Amino acid sequence: MKQSSKGLLGILLLGAFPLMMFAQGNSVKTELPKGWHLLDKDQDGYYGISIDKAYEFTRAKKLKSKQVLVAVIDSGVDTLHEDLKNIIWTNPREIPGNGIDDDHNGYIDDVHGWNFIGGRDGHNVKDDAQEEARVYYHFKQQFDVQQLDSSKWSQDDKDNYRMWVKARKTIMGDGIESSVDLLMLHRVLSACVKSDSILQQAMGKAEYTGNDLDTFQTANPETKSAKSVFLYPFKANKIMDMTNKAFLNEFSEQVDQEEKKASAKKTPPRDYRKEIVKDNEEDINDRYYGNNDVMAEDPMHGTHVSGIIGAERGNGKGMDGIADNVRIMMIRAVPNGDEHDKDIALAIRYAVDNGARVINMSFGKNLSPEKKWVDSAVRYAESKGVLLIHAAGNDNADVDTADNFPNPNILHSDYTASNWITVGASSDPLAEPGFRSYTASFSNYGKQEVDVFAPGTRIYSTLPGGKNYGNLQGTSMAAPVVAGLAAFILEYYPGLSPQQVKYCIEHSAVPPPAKVKKPGAEDEMVNLSDISRSGGIINAYEAIKLAATLSTTDAHRNDKIQRSTLSNKKD
């Protein structure tokens, strides 16, 4: 599932429309500027990553940049966006549109990347089920029996049973959890859609923000009523700079997910992927499937992530990405729902085989039935010198104890991949007026499993539509901040290994000036080192200075430093 903030997706409905709210959001009552995540505390007053100071360092050193390819495994990307079209990767070995696999990699016309959740007929997967529902019904006949004999079980049988029990609890519940009122959700959504239609006509534009709506004046009773209905959730949830389209898109997705959860108690989930993709999902060697449509059904999430990493800098349009000499390879593998392990494993391998040096993965789920395939792909990336960046998740949970997949911990082994960074979401205290911390209220954390924190609240970036921009938040946004920094380091010090880049990012991370709020615990103050390995928020200036001290001719020694200090073994 795309790791957007549950602040944007988590609808809390307590029986009446005025109580519908997002758990976290963006406030119009602050002066937090667009692009605050790039700024410097000393120079600008905001807890960003000091990217301008980092570029000043490279200019002072008279360093020349070398282009870096970053793969984004996500929902899709708007390849025609004004701030992205010049930085979208184009496969130099492929002739566009000729229907021939010119580069002989098994993927026909993979001009800008590949879509592993598309069909050969051009249709694409948009929606999919929870992994828990898929697992529960897949193993129900095998394990849901009265006389269960486990005496001759293999290790796979034991793993599958434990996974099935967890899925069953999630799907069937424990009898005490409160259920979402789907009828009320649909009424709220319908009221918002109707009001939006009226407002678009009255305001004379198809897209507007909560701020635009707040200043809009009308004497028409129907329009005034529509304004009141639609403005309330923006104000109540402090998302005034979100657009109407983004709000309705996220709200609709949440309603869809709640419907799927309710349906899964009685009915096996629809196999969306099988209907469209038509590969043998149980065979990892059946790998040449999908299509080349990397925009597909819903590219909002992937477009936003891509812009954070590398939207064209200095062109006077919209916003600036972090890295100034990158190309973005889009690999579509993440639907509205939980991703499939096979698609993720093959997406990682595709990225590695086609030259990516950094892979951003802003998605995650609670179960991984084919983790061994993903682990194998992670080890493959490690062997080829590719750095993997993963979002920690948005359940304000301790992922030292709560499952979060994918992860770098190799199944049935003490080994932890050395080319992996797990990212939690930091914040400026102004970004969440109801929480006010250097941590984001929604972020997952973990003293062992979360490596660093990076800005993840109110992140302004590209949105689909050619010229659209807006704020989203989540560890989905924090991960590409780190991916952008990794690419920036590699631009100017291309000889560094993934382990050295990881070393630079983590050892230069800056501890916040005070204790932070433990995500999900308003009254519990902790050191950031209590909930992450590095105990710091990434800083591009400090990271590039550290990178300058590492000798590329001494890579082996520095790899050993990285492995010994941050440990490639699980503690």
Side-chain angles (χ1 to χ4, degrees), residues 389-450:
I389 316 291
H390 184 240
N394 306 305
D395 300 312
N396 47 55
D398 184 350
V399 292
D400 287 354
T401 55
D403 287 332
N404 181 44
F405 300 103
N407 60 51
N409 306 316
I410 305 304
L411 191 65
H412 302 311
S413 166
D414 289 333
Y415 189 78
T416 298
S418 64
N419 61 325
W420 185 288
I421 301 176
T422 299
V423 186
S426 67
S427 185
D428 187 281
L430 289 177
E432 288 190 278
F435 195 66
R436 290 193 178 278
S437 175
Y438 304 104
T439 48
S441 61
F442 50 79
S443 181
N444 285 352
Y445 55 90
K447 185 175 177 62
Q448 300 301 319
E449 297 298 329
V450 174

Side-chain angles (χ1 to χ4, degrees), residues 352 381 465 571:
V352 173
D571 294 338

